[in-house]
Amino acid sequence: MEAQQGSPMSMLFIFIIFGLIFYFMIYRPQAKRNKEHKKLMSELTKGTEVLTAGGIIGKITKVVENSDSIVIALNDSTEVTINRNYIAAVLPKGTIKTL
């Protein structure tokens, strides 16, 4: 009988433990990645060398404020317009020349 009286408290304790595990293993890292990606998006400027989610490397030639689109030059004669959310990483200056 005594084990049944302690059971609701142990169930509550288990739910709290699972909630903490969920927070620290799933929610918190995802929120950190989202914050870093938003910071990356706000720092995009003309001349920045970027890598897209599709694996395209290029240099930003045009950033339109209050728009989701940016223009990336792949070489001297080819430009592509993409959604800014598809920028995966900002590359160090000079990366395109070394390829």
Side-chain angles (χ1 to χ4, degrees):
M1 283 283 187
E2 289 182 31
Q4 289 178 349
Q5 290 175 351
S7 182
M9 283 302 276
S10 64
M11 275 303 257
L12 180 64
F13 182 70
I14 290 172
F15 282 129
I16 290 172
I17 294 296
F18 277 119
L20 290 173
I21 290 171
F22 175 80
Y23 176 76
F24 285 107
M25 298 292 287
I26 297 170
Y27 177 75
R28 190 169 172 222
Q30 183 64 34
K32 185 177 178 182
R33 279 191 294 273
N34 287 344
K35 183 179 177 182
E36 289 173 358
H37 193 259
K38 284 183 182 182
K39 181 182 177 203
L40 174 76
M41 294 300 107
S42 68
E43 294 175 350
L44 293 178
T45 59
K46 183 177 177 180
T48 304
E49 296 178 7
V50 294
L51 171 69
T52 68
I56 297 173
I57 296 174
K59 186 181 284 190
I60 296 176
T61 58
K62 184 178 179 185
V63 177
V64 180
E65 293 299 322
N66 300 326
S67 173
D68 288 339
S69 299
I70 60 172
V71 179
I72 296 177
L74 304 179
N75 56 32
D76 293 336
S77 61
T78 308
E79 289 186 341
V80 178
T81 302
I82 65 166
N83 188 308
R84 69 172 53 218
N85 291 326
Y86 288 102
I87 300 296
V90 173
L91 303 173
K93 281 198 179 259
T95 302
I96 293 175
K97 291 180 183 177
T98 62
L99 296 177

